Amino acid sequence: MSCCLQDFCRVQELRQVREFLFPSQKPAAAGPAESKDPAGEWRTGGSWFLAEEEVQHGPWLQDCVLSISPCSDLMVIAREHKAAFLSAKWQNDDSGREEMTLAVSWSGMLNAEEGECVSSVICIPLASQKRSSTGRPDWTCIVVGFSSGYVRFYTENGVLLLAQLLNEDPVLRLKCRTYEIPRHPGVTEQHEELSILYPTALVTIDGFSLFQSLRACRNQVARAAAAGSDVVQPPPLAYKKWGLQDMDTIIDHSSVGIMTLNVFDQMKNASILGGFHASVKGSPPAMSQYITVGGGPFTGFYYAVEGSSQPLLSHVALAVASKLTSALFSAASGWLGWKNKNEEEPAQKQKPKVEPATPLPVRFGLPDSRRHGESICLSPCNTMAGVTDDFGRVTLLDVARGIAIRMWKGYRDAQLGWVQVSEARGEREIATSPSMPRRHAQFLVIYAPRRGILEVWGTQHGPRVGAFTVGKHCRLLYSGYRLMGVNSVTSQGWHYNTQQVCLFDPSTGALRSVTIPFHLALSDKKSERAKDMHLLKRLTALLKSREIDPGESILLEIKHPAVKKQVRHVQYILTNSLSHSLTHTLTPNKYIILACKNTLSLAGIEEDLARIGPILRRYTELNSRPCVTFAQDPGGPLPVRAFLSQLVCEGGELRVIRGPDTDWTHLGSFLFWGCLSGQSPLEKVCETLQQSGISPQQLLSLLLTVWLNREKEILKRADAIRNLHTLLNTLSSMKGAVEESWDVQCISPWWQQVRSACVQSESAGAALLAALVAHRAFQGDWECVSLELEQWVVCLRQLEDVLALQTLLSLPPPQGSPGGAVQRCSVKSLLESGRGGVADSVAKLIFRQDVPPEMLKDIVQQREEEHCSGRDVTERMLLSVLSSELLACVCQRFPHSLAIDVLWAHCCWEYVVQWNKDPEASTFSTFVIWSVEYLKMISSSHIQLGISSMMWNTFIVKRFSAAAFLMEKVGKAPKDRLCRRDVGMGDAAMTSFLGSCVQLLQTLMEADSGVEEAYVPELCVEEVWGSAEGPASIAELALQQKAVHYPLVQHHCLLASLLHAAMSFSLRLKPLSLFDSKGKNAFFRELTSIQLLPSGDMDPNLVAIRQEFLMLVLTGWVKAVGEAEDTGSAKVSRDMDWPAVCMELASLLQVNADILRRHLVWELYNQGLDLRAEEVMLEVEDKDVLGSQLLVLTGQRLAFSLLHSQTQTKATMELLARLPPTLCTWLKAMDPSELRCPSVPLKQSSRLVSKVIEMLPENHAQYSLALHLLETVDSLQENE
């Protein structure tokens, strides 16, 4: 008694239809095995139907326009200008069973004008006017819309009846509404109509007018075919044309019909539109309601008041095509005369006149700028509509109120349909009143082609009542109408035989209908009772027919207690008429059934173990390390006193009193460990437990306790799972285990006890195994009702996730890492830890493993490169092999909780938290550096901004301000003792800390700059973990942070750079004295606040102090580079680029950067780093001043070589004697002691002099001196 898909028809010649519509895909000529019979139908291997080897591949049907008649006797498949009509016929299949098929009755070209294509098709069955008709159609009209704007009407044989050009835009959709018997008194009777949607207009043709015109045209076709009689003018078409306004794009529509407002809504609308004193008419006006979907707004609601627009009368363009006379009428308005087949076409067809549309503004809509509707499907009772959009969502609309009441996500390219089910006449009518109208239920059918699934949902807020796996290239066909030409008089006594929804599968050619029982629309107990009442009727009929065996399954399906009593009453009545007692007949068969279910359950457990086997084995390996055991552990013997202290006998019943956890575990081991380990006979123990009188709930608690507490021993025994399955089945069958009054639509307390114990346990492996066994036992003994089954599915998925996570957390830390105890987790602890619990646990593991950020990034992104060096290469590569597989597995199971940015955010926070615990420890000093590295790896500017702000406010600003005040107090880089006293860390650690502060503030500024251009990320969580409650995750808190004030952050970054420079080169500095009063007051304020910052020109004395400090920084860096090159160290090359930092600081401190560059060039030459100096020299602007400065440095080098060198030669003395007196005096005035590297090769000095000559102009006062220096240096080189 559930939803089902049933084949009711099969399409023949599907391959030929495809080859006709897609000539380019036509295969090679058919071989001798294929032949065509005289009737024009293809046979392959003697079968009328599509053979298995002829399965159609590819989504070719999605490129076609498809429509089927509600009576399922005609189908149209069209593409571009071609179409194939398939009509119904009955024939016998291979088994001799009669079956309905659809075969091609006509195929050909439909276009009458060049370049036009078919854009929409609809099949409308027309009712017979004969009194003897019982509801079958007289004939079916095919209505085809074209891209040229024409709408043409054809018979089943492809004969063109008439054509209309009502608008010159392409036809988007054709929809029909037919007569329905009003379900309740007072409901407005709807008129029949055909609606035609254009991009900017909507045309509605009155159904009665269309019906009469089609009958007249078809009669004319019959007369023309018989004798070519005179043409009879058919009645004109009555239609209305509305110009839809205030909507950007329209894709689809639905004509709801005529509606009348109640008095309250009428008064509400009048007061809104006209104000307090608005007048209200006596009777509410009748309005036609239209709903459109598209864009701008997403859904539009239009209301056309009856009488506001007079119907337009169109002269029918009749075209009759007869095989006998070959006469064709094809005009849009007015009639054309008969013409013979051999007659030529007129030279120029006159285009019919197109009437203007009546403007119709949108009353209201559902605005969604990013969402665009694709289709709308109106429910049979016109109260609801399903809308699909390009976001893959299905929205359920309340048509009367104009609101969205439900939404489904994840249904891209969905196709919709409706099924209306009527309640069967039975017990409800007898219990209430025979005149009470029957109830109707509506179900929404959703076909998701991307997922290949067909789902049935109860409306409005009902659950999913059915799901079927189908192909991915099917088409869901829903007409939404019945026969045209029916009214309240002619429909009396008719029995409609129409299909509401059917699924067409091109791979098999089958048409399948969706059958839904009415009781699925009812909720809770009513649904179960309705189902059981139906089963009771079936059982009664079977018992009366003496067919006992088929009734066993029905008897086992009945669950409702009241119905069970009626079953026993039926059994008592029919016992005398049966040859054997029902009880004796069913009892042995029932045990056979349960035994089979037990075997199937164990087979299912083996499948589950094969699925989780790899991760379970890795978990066992990581948790099988030896550990210390105590005498109180459950493995020891149970003392007699402890055993007796937990048993109490009250009123002849034995009851267990729960004591401490240790005693409870001891008692559970005493009762069940022998059975679980295979040391005790299961049958005897189970029989003893059943006779003991202990409640099954307490026995179940003891069993689960020993199972979960002795996990290591459980995982080593292969037979423990089978023994647990037997024990659970035995306990479940005990009296009082599952209450007889338990409603199967509710959660079972018995199985909820199992789930509660598993989700609370930190033994992940044992908990998952227990849940798998209990789940299979539940499926073997009970009907898999939706609510209980959902609980099991969620529980198992959660336990599997926890097993993978716990396996990862059990990885041992490498030697030399911070280490720490292995973190244990359970489903309950993760749910209570909030949405960030998983990421927090993984971040703690990464901290224990001491994984560098760049290596973790490679593991997460599955890179093969390893950025390791030295001794750590082997250890890090081993860590990557061990952890990358487990980490990838956990990330796959938690795709949202462990999203890359969320993981980096938690790692960043974990490292800064651990650093804050002991910042001066040598092992912790790099944690703040790694924390900033993880921060830089976050791609989302919003999360990066929030984490940076939180780190600054929580951990950094306090120590940063202490460092600044300490340096301001001592006036220089403080010693180690003062740093530990005031800042809480040594001088080396404080230098690293200040560098991290600079990086943090720079990252904060970059994130603030990119926030406006980036989207706010949507933090999701896995569906099974959606009920997590607890503290907000770090990422969520980051998104809640306020925006920062960029200039204030830059102000603090400037101070951090100055402090870092002073500590790096041990310089004298009072950092706060480099700023004016505004700058000092702005420090250490909230970064989100607006502060007064320095602006305009700064005091020259202050600028001079800043310039002097930056020069000292450059000098210190040059000294460090010189020392590093002397010792062969590459440390300085990996540190900060201090010259670039100083130039950036100069722009912020209003210092002339060119002065700093000249000073840097002079310092580099002074250190003997001539090549580096030449690179910087290219950026200097004032070459004259630099040339004068370098000329002095050249003189100092030459003076050292000529006057102060201890290795003076005779040639040198002679050269000194030949020098001009002016040059000699100038050289003697030079002091070579100022040079840090005086002994420079003469080749470098010669190159330096040449550079000086290039920079100095010829009219410079020292130009001649530079030339003399060049000659002197060249002479010295010659004497070497």
Side-chain angles (χ1 to χ4, degrees), residues 853 904 907-909 911-912 915 926-938 944 947-948 951 956 992-1004:
W904 297 152
C907 290
C908 169
W909 193 257
Y911 271 97
V912 74
W915 166 82
T926 59
F927 289 168
V928 67
I929 302 177
W930 285 9
S931 176
V932 177
E933 290 298 322
Y934 280 117
L935 178 66
K936 292 180 179 179
M937 290 160 57
I938 299 175
Q944 195 178 52
I947 295 294
S948 305
M951 287 177 59
I956 304 299
S992 175
F993 164 71
L994 292 173
S996 299
C997 290
V998 176
Q999 298 291 326
L1000 172 64
L1001 293 171
Q1002 288 179 348
T1003 304
L1004 182 57

Side-chain angles (χ1 to χ4, degrees), residues 447-476:
Y447 169 54
R450 296 285 186 95
R451 296 156 54 190
I453 187 173
L454 183 75
E455 297 181 346
V456 182
W457 291 82
T459 54
Q460 300 178 1
H461 302 285
R464 189 178 74 173
V465 298
F468 310 94
T469 301
V470 296
K472 293 187 177 181
H473 307 310
C474 302
R475 286 288 292 271
L476 186 67

Side-chain angles (χ1 to χ4, degrees), residues 1252-1268:
V1252 171
I1253 294 175
E1254 293 176 1
M1255 287 185 288
L1256 293 178
E1258 295 183 0
N1259 56 355
H1260 196 277
Q1262 296 177 327
Y1263 185 79
S1264 59
L1265 182 61
L1267 293 176
H1268 290 306

Side-chain angles (χ1 to χ4, degrees), residues 552-571:
E552 296 176 9
S553 60
I554 300 176
L555 187 61
L556 294 177
E557 287 182 14
I558 297 178
K559 302 298 181 182
H560 201 274
V563 183
K564 285 184 178 180
K565 292 182 181 180
Q566 297 186 26
V567 172
R568 288 194 290 267
H569 180 65
V570 172
Q571 174 186 347

Side-chain angles (χ1 to χ4, degrees), residues 175-360:
K175 291 195 176 182
C176 181
R177 187 176 71 244
T178 55
Y179 174 80
E180 289 287 340
I181 301 175
R183 189 181 305 168
H184 304 288
V187 176
T188 305
E189 187 174 292
Q190 301 296 335
H191 299 294
E192 296 179 324
E193 71 173 11
L194 172 67
S195 57
I196 308 168
L197 179 67
Y198 297 93
T200 58
L202 176 66
V203 174
T204 59
I205 301 177
D206 180 67
F208 179 77
S209 173
L210 178 64
F211 180 75
Q212 297 299 331
S213 298
L214 292 176
R215 284 188 61 201
C217 293
R218 187 168 180 267
N219 292 338
Q220 181 61 46
V221 169
R223 294 191 186 96
S229 61
D230 295 335
V231 176
V232 178
Q233 179 75 19
L237 288 179
Y239 69 93
K240 295 181 181 180
K241 185 175 181 181
W242 303 102
L244 305 180
Q245 298 178 342
D246 306 324
M247 196 164 175
D248 296 342
T249 57
I250 300 177
I251 305 299
D252 197 0
H253 78 291
S254 279
S255 177
V256 181
I258 299 176
M259 60 170 293
T260 304
L261 293 177
N262 55 48
V263 179
F264 176 79
D265 289 341
Q266 182 190 10
M267 297 175 64
K268 179 187 68 175
N269 293 340
S271 61
I272 292 175
L273 298 175
F276 180 77
H277 299 287
S279 60
V280 181
K281 295 183 179 179
S283 59
M287 298 179 292
S288 296
Q289 182 182 12
Y290 307 103
I291 305 177
T292 59
V293 295
F298 163 64
T299 304
F301 291 81
Y302 294 86
Y303 295 87
V305 179
E306 289 296 308
S308 60
S309 175
Q310 294 297 325
L312 303 174
L313 295 180
S314 167
H315 292 289
V316 177
L318 175 64
V320 178
S322 173
K323 294 181 181 179
L324 300 177
T325 61
S326 301
L328 174 66
F329 282 79
S330 59
S333 87
W335 291 89
L336 294 178
W338 291 96
K339 66 175 182 177
N340 199 294
K341 179 178 180 180
N342 299 324
E343 293 178 358
E344 297 182 356
E345 290 284 340
Q348 181 69 31
K349 289 186 178 181
Q350 182 180 1
K351 218 164 191 181
K353 178 184 178 182
V354 178
E355 299 290 342
T358 303
L360 184 63

